[in-house]
Amino acid sequence: MRLVSANFLALLFMCAIGSVFYVWSALESRLERHKRGFTIPGGALPADLSSKTFRALLAVPVAPQKAHLGGRNVTDHTLGSGHYHMNGYNKRRSARKGGPVKLGGSPLEDGIFWSERLEELLPVGFTEDEAREWREKAREYRVVKLETGCGRISNQLATFEDGSKACVRYGINADQVQGETLTYYLASLLGITNLPPLVLSQLSSDSEQWQAVRTRMEGLQWSERAVVSLTQWVSNLTGVVTPAPLRQENSGLHPSLKQLWNQSAAELLELMQWSDLIILDYLTANFDRLVSNLFSLQWDSRIMERDTNNLLRTPRGDLVFIDNEAGLVHGYRVLDMWEKYHKTVLSSVCVFRRRTAQRVAELHRRRDARTRLMELYRDSEPLSFHLGFLSDEHAALLQDRIDTLHRHILHCKAKYSQL
Ligand SMILES: Nc1ncnc2c1ncn2[C@@H]1O[C@H](COP(=O)(O)OP(=O)(O)OP(=O)(O)O)[C@@H](O)[C@H]1O
Ligand SMILES: [Mg+2]
């Protein structure tokens, strides 16, 4: 009898614990739902309190965070998993690893340009040769596996027959694939090498490249003949928080910033890459990085303390600009909503890489951004005809933005060259 009542009591106790756990889990998940379903005051956009508040504009379901980490944890990378440019590698390494190394001397020259010495230390993210080699391979190699690991479900981590990997972006429409691809080539025109190499591929379950994953493609409901982009997958990437000078509460990245003289070489090299990032995002009207953070500041005052969307860092400290699908096409279409934030971000920067500024000046002087971008895209990408190019209206917008950017650089020069 005593044994029975002891068992009964134990059972009762377990039930009580179970109920508490059940109620707590339900509460937790309700809170979580509330967080994801947050609505912007005065607006109809559903938003996420993490860093993806503007996501609704893209109208793409976001995969759970866990899936993102999948890609980063794999360390047995082989070909195509981030073989960066090797020239001057050790020189840069000594500046970037082993504690804060001071630059010695001024980080700037001629008022608004990063110094030659810093330029020498700056990594060339993905070299032209490396990118060409990867692109040739990515067009031919068979895909043997598709799995999560590149963000939302419409992006898949592909493994090629040699074990190397790529992120396949299906895109909810051709605009996104076009934006991603043309941004890659625009960066290339500007000499910005932080974007992983990219190729287009046309899905076909009969083709040699896709045959092995046809069942998975069916499961994902990927349409036959759709054109997708493949970008080189890079191992061991980590998140990047916006550096202090570029945060809203500070005055921006400009030559009279005292802080520049106290920064380590590694910090300066990162700021240099940010100056290119801001130029690229302004030209392409890509709101899906710093600009979206600025927008989200309205209701999330600590957003700048979190990782910036679509920006990652290699262990060596090179920034990798991923997911550029909001650029050029979609970004231009929704420009009315984002332009004031784009302007704010651009006006916060008055220090540039000399070469980037020179290329902007050249595109401004010749007024040939459309032709140069189209020629590079057409000559480098066999599927360019399938995907198409910018409309005349969007090509004109690109040229306008180049002109505005050039004027901004001249304005900075006039303001700071006396320093
Ligand atoms: N080229 C790449 N190399 C390595 N990892 C990558 C690459 N591209 C994407 N990833 C991984 O996938 C994650 C999401 O990538 P991406 O931004 O392209 O997809 P997404 O669906 O837009 O996701 P998110 O909503 O987080 O922006 C990245 O944070 C990174 O972990
Ligand atoms: Mg993204």
Side-chain angles (χ1 to χ4, degrees):
M1 183 63 197
R2 206 179 268 173
L3 192 67
V4 171
S5 22
N7 280 343
F8 180 71
L9 273 175
L11 189 67
L12 212 63
F13 180 67
M14 299 278 284
C15 285
I17 298 269
S19 313
V20 169
F21 182 70
Y22 176 80
V23 169
W24 178 249
S25 313
L27 199 65
E28 283 262 66
S29 63
R30 287 195 62 159
L31 283 173
E32 186 66 14
R33 259 202 298 278
H34 172 67
K35 198 168 94 174
R36 285 169 204 269
F38 186 77
T39 311
I40 302 170
L45 290 176
D48 177 345
L49 272 184
S50 64
S51 56
K52 307 193 174 71
T53 30
F54 53 91
R55 249 323 112 91
L57 280 171
L58 290 173
V60 184
V62 179
Q65 201 64 24
K66 229 165 129 196
H68 301 183
L69 298 173
R72 289 189 203 159
N73 290 340
V74 184
T75 47
D76 59 334
H77 59 288
T78 52
L79 262 177
S81 49
H83 290 258
Y84 283 87
H85 164 81
M86 291 297 165
N87 298 344
Y89 175 77
N90 290 333
K91 195 163 52 165
R92 286 199 306 273
R93 214 164 120 101
S94 61
R96 310 179 119 231
K97 297 231 163 172
V101 177
K102 288 282 173 212
L103 182 69
S106 168
L108 304 177
E109 294 175 354
D110 297 338
I112 58 164
F113 298 116
W114 296 110
S115 71
E116 198 53 44
R117 176 147 162 60
L118 266 176
E119 282 288 350
E120 278 170 18
L121 295 171
L122 185 74
V124 176
F126 301 89
T127 65
E128 240 172 70
D129 287 349
E130 187 212 1
R132 197 177 312 111
E133 195 185 310
W134 186 87
R135 292 207 309 257
E136 277 166 18
K137 191 187 77 173
R139 287 189 213 290
E140 287 189 2
Y141 276 24
R142 284 182 312 121
V143 175
V144 295
K145 193 174 180 187
L146 280 179
E147 59 190 323
T148 53
C150 287
R152 72 193 84 136
I153 190 78
S154 58
N155 304 335
Q156 293 280 302
L157 177 63
T159 306
F160 290 116
E161 54 191 297
D162 70 341
S164 66
K165 292 168 195 286
C167 283
V168 186
R169 306 186 72 85
Y170 180 77
I172 50 166
N173 53 43
D175 287 1
Q176 292 186 331
V177 182
Q178 218 180 54
E180 177 84 27
T181 310
L182 292 174
T183 301
Y184 173 72
Y185 286 108
L186 180 65
S188 196
L189 275 187
L190 294 168
I192 297 175
T193 58
N194 300 73
L195 287 70
L198 174 150
V199 289
L200 296 176
S201 175
Q202 188 166 33
L203 298 178
S204 166
S205 47
D206 297 334
S207 70
E208 219 179 312
Q209 182 162 47
W210 296 103
Q211 212 170 28
V213 288
R214 60 190 303 166
T215 315
R216 173 81 176 164
M217 276 160 51
E218 274 165 32
L220 290 162
Q221 297 183 343
W222 281 6
S223 311
E224 284 283 304
R225 310 268 146 224
V227 174
V228 296
S229 71
L230 272 65
T231 44
Q232 181 177 355
W233 185 83
V234 185
S235 58
N236 298 320
L237 297 175
T238 48
V240 182
V241 176
T242 306
L246 291 168
R247 297 206 196 156
Q248 199 50 18
E249 66 272 19
N250 296 322
S251 62
L253 180 56
H254 52 78
S256 52
L257 192 70
K258 296 270 179 302
Q259 215 178 314
L260 284 183
W261 272 257
N262 302 327
Q263 304 257 295
S264 66
E267 285 166 328
L268 290 167
L269 289 175
E270 181 157 327
L271 285 172
M272 265 179 105
Q273 297 177 75
W274 271 90
S275 68
D276 268 354
L277 176 68
I278 285 172
I279 282 185
L280 185 67
D281 282 355
Y282 175 77
L283 290 181
T284 59
N286 186 348
F287 53 82
D288 207 354
R289 253 185 296 258
L290 189 53
V291 162
S292 64
N293 275 359
L294 208 61
F295 177 69
S296 305
L297 267 177
Q298 294 169 82
W299 55 84
D300 183 3
S301 61
R302 307 193 68 177
I303 187 125
M304 291 290 184
E305 292 162 32
R306 285 192 278 278
D307 290 347
T308 310
N309 217 23
N310 300 325
L311 183 63
L312 296 163
R313 185 194 283 114
T314 67
R316 205 180 64 184
D318 307 349
L319 297 187
V320 183
F321 311 167
I322 60 156
D323 185 0
N324 298 292
E325 67 186 12
L328 288 165
V329 188
H330 190 63
Y332 284 178
R333 193 166 293 136
V334 294
L335 202 52
D336 281 353
M337 168 168 177
W338 295 100
E339 186 64 328
K340 78 171 182 179
Y341 301 99
H342 288 303
K343 283 190 171 142
T344 307
V345 171
L346 180 63
S347 64
S348 71
V349 175
C350 260
V351 181
F352 309 96
R353 290 185 62 201
R354 194 189 292 273
R355 187 182 66 176
T356 314
Q358 276 167 351
R359 296 206 175 178
V360 169
E362 203 179 292
L363 289 168
H364 162 76
R365 199 179 61 249
R366 297 190 182 165
R367 298 199 59 77
D368 62 353
R370 178 184 197 278
T371 319
R372 302 241 340 248
L373 182 59
M374 192 164 66
E375 284 174 0
L376 178 64
Y377 170 52
R378 188 193 58 199
D379 297 347
S380 322
E381 180 46 68
L383 284 170
S384 55
F385 290 104
H386 280 265
L387 197 61
F389 187 65
L390 294 180
S391 65
D392 288 349
E393 186 198 347
H394 285 176
L397 256 176
L398 172 62
Q399 187 66 52
D400 278 355
R401 294 178 89 73
I402 285 169
D403 299 345
T404 308
L405 171 61
H406 178 66
R407 278 196 303 276
H408 172 67
I409 296 173
L410 291 184
H411 159 80
C412 292
K413 207 167 184 181
K415 188 168 173 188
Y416 293 107
S417 56
Q418 328 300 352
L419 288 178

